[in-house]
Amino acid sequence: MGSRWALSVVAAAAVLAGSVRGGGLDPGAMMPVPKPKPKPSPAVPAPHKGRIYRHAIGFSFWYPLGWTVKEHDDGLQLIPPKPAATAQGPSELYFITGESVAGEGIQHAGDVRVGQYLDGEIRKLSPTMVRAGQPATVAMAKGQGVLLQWQGRSATGNVMHARAYVAIIRDHGVSLIGLGDPKHVQGRDAELRRMFASFDVGQGTIDRQLVGAWKLKAVSSITNWSVWETAWSRAQAVNEEQSTMALRADGTWRRVTRRHFLAGAGGVWVEDNSEKITEGRWFAGNSQLYFLSKHNAWDDYRYQVVRGNQGIQLRLASGTKGTLWDRVP
């Protein structure tokens, strides 16, 4: 942004210099032609007004006034003011996605593997999309990213354009992707670049009231009592799981789940006694709890801490399913 404004100032100064050089003495007059009155210097452009979006995992970026950020399970949608649309639907879509690249040796968004991965993701949106041109470097407030572009056609035969501003920040690949009518997507380039330039991944936040140990016990059983069953086909099963989850103040978590499963029919029984340990980092904010495991598995839940006669309990919900955890004294 700064170099663009500098270029505008230089161009304006050149115009002013040209008008001054045009002044001087008129050969057909006895008096000098008065020099033009000095024009005011170009005003310093006002800063672009906007807001800062901060996610609990530590990701943040600036976005202009008039734009809206909408959270989805698999990313963030950016909605511009007065988005273009037709009777068939929106003509432009913008969203931000991120993924861990820890341990993969990817240090820069120009890595060929980044482009190959995005080629596949863009084709999922429209199988006709083909990469156009070479990756271009994009300046950021912290480091550099790249711009990748694709061309193709929609299911109705309309020309489609996609562009992805991509950066590797603290072992995370983050992308701002625009897709739609070339006129609209390319017309948003200046705003998209400003947002992309502000991308940052910080430490993340945690909710202190979640720090501590929590336990969950679940028991389920099934028996087929139909009169049409025999001793061999009448099956019975019982499953008991006990989990203990530690959410530590340093942002790490560890969950131990012990399972006892017993199933049988016709005098034949199968038993399983197993233990599973998972651990990683956790983040929480705005009633959303996020778990990132050491194997880069990702889970998120809506949460609520409830205090009542049963003590302190933690309600976790994902989709239509929920669990109730009790705080360990």
Side-chain angles (χ1 to χ4, degrees):
M1 182 176 67
S3 60
R4 198 184 73 160
W5 287 124
L7 185 60
S8 300
V9 172
V10 170
V15 172
L16 289 176
S19 65
V20 172
R21 285 195 298 270
L25 295 177
D26 184 346
M30 297 299 295
M31 295 181 62
V33 177
K35 293 183 179 181
K37 293 182 179 180
K39 296 183 179 180
S41 59
V44 176
H48 300 281
K49 295 182 179 180
R51 298 184 176 90
I52 299 294
Y53 173 87
R54 300 183 190 279
H55 197 280
I57 66 172
F59 174 67
S60 65
F61 68 97
W62 174 94
Y63 65 100
L65 290 180
W67 285 71
T68 303
V69 181
K70 188 175 182 180
E71 296 184 358
H72 295 277
D73 291 341
D74 53 356
L76 303 174
Q77 182 182 2
L78 302 174
I79 305 173
K82 298 180 179 179
T86 65
Q88 288 72 39
S91 299
E92 52 179 334
L93 292 172
Y94 307 94
F95 45 96
I96 295 173
T97 62
E99 186 169 338
S100 173
V101 295
E104 298 185 23
I106 298 177
Q107 303 296 324
H108 188 268
D111 191 303
V112 65
R113 291 172 290 177
V114 174
Q116 292 171 346
Y117 172 79
L118 288 172
D119 284 339
E121 294 300 301
I122 294 296
R123 287 196 201 97
K124 290 179 183 178
L125 302 175
S126 177
T128 67
M129 301 299 278
V130 178
R131 186 96 67 85
Q134 297 297 318
T137 300
V138 180
M140 304 180 68
K142 296 182 179 180
Q144 289 184 332
V146 298
L147 169 62
L148 303 173
Q149 302 184 72
W150 295 262
Q151 297 287 353
R153 291 188 177 276
S154 67
T156 57
N158 295 326
V159 175
M160 296 280 288
H161 175 76
R163 55 178 50 201
Y165 305 83
V166 194
I168 305 298
I169 308 175
R170 300 187 185 182
D171 288 334
H172 287 80
V174 288
S175 305
L176 193 167
I177 299 175
L179 175 70
D181 185 310
K183 176 178 65 176
H184 302 303
V185 176
Q186 294 173 3
R188 306 277 189 190
D189 180 71
E191 290 178 306
L192 297 177
R193 285 176 182 265
R194 292 188 194 106
M195 286 187 275
F196 176 67
S198 69
F199 279 13
D200 191 20
V201 178
Q203 184 63 32
T205 61
I206 63 173
D207 188 339
R208 293 289 174 179
Q209 66 177 332
L210 302 185
V211 174
W214 304 86
K215 63 180 179 179
L216 171 70
K217 183 177 181 179
V219 179
S220 59
S221 62
I222 183 171
T223 302
N224 186 351
W225 292 113
S226 171
V227 297
W228 306 109
E229 303 298 329
T230 67
W232 282 100
S233 62
R234 180 176 290 117
Q236 300 180 65
V238 62
N239 183 62
E240 178 180 294
E241 288 190 2
Q242 297 187 58
S243 295
T244 302
M245 177 171 63
L247 302 179
R248 305 186 184 102
D250 63 357
T252 62
W253 64 274
R254 187 174 191 265
R255 177 175 175 175
V256 179
T257 300
R258 294 181 175 87
R259 181 188 186 216
H260 187 193
F261 175 76
L262 185 65
V268 179
W269 294 86
V270 176
E271 185 176 15
D272 173 36
N273 271 304
S274 59
E275 180 180 274
K276 181 180 180 180
I277 299 176
T278 51
E279 53 190 351
R281 299 197 61 80
W282 68 281
F283 314 93
N286 298 322
S287 299
Q288 291 288 134
L289 177 60
Y290 306 89
F291 293 102
L292 178 63
S293 76
K294 286 188 174 181
H295 302 291
N296 294 328
W298 180 267
D299 288 300
D300 57 277
Y301 301 88
R302 299 184 305 279
Y303 75 88
Q304 182 182 14
V305 176
V306 180
R307 292 172 171 81
N309 295 333
Q310 303 297 323
I312 301 177
Q313 296 180 311
L314 173 63
R315 295 177 179 175
L316 297 182
S318 178
T320 58
K321 297 181 179 180
T323 54
L324 188 62
W325 296 72
D326 295 304
R327 183 184 286 280
V328 178

